[in-house]
Amino acid sequence: MIASSPARLTVVEPAGPDDPLVPGFTASTRLTSAQTGSISIVEHTFAPGSLVPPHRHTREDEISYVV
């Protein structure tokens, strides 16, 4: 049996004012890689039907969860 350490729980407060990236598209950093040890979590808010500007991620992977 392998002993594991207990999971670390982080409570994140509701987002404050967002930082506008482009008109109608905002970003709030929820957790940084320094806080988690490996990943960053960023919340993006934009209106239905909006398009995300073309961009690339050259040093990281991106996973999106759409609500």
Side-chain angles (χ1 to χ4, degrees):
M1 177 177 212
I2 299 173
S4 63
S5 61
R8 195 172 99 209
L9 176 66
T10 301
V11 176
V12 179
E13 295 295 324
D18 292 322
D19 301 322
L21 295 175
V22 294
F25 186 83
T26 59
S28 295
T29 301
R30 309 304 283 135
L31 293 171
T32 66
S33 60
Q35 292 171 297
T36 66
S38 61
I39 66 169
S40 295
I41 298 176
V42 180
E43 181 180 328
H44 295 287
T45 305
F46 48 92
S50 298
L51 297 175
V52 175
H55 64 285
R56 292 180 184 238
H57 295 271
T58 59
R59 299 182 316 156
E60 64 277 329
D61 293 326
E62 177 180 43
I63 298 171
S64 297
Y65 179 76
V66 180
V67 178

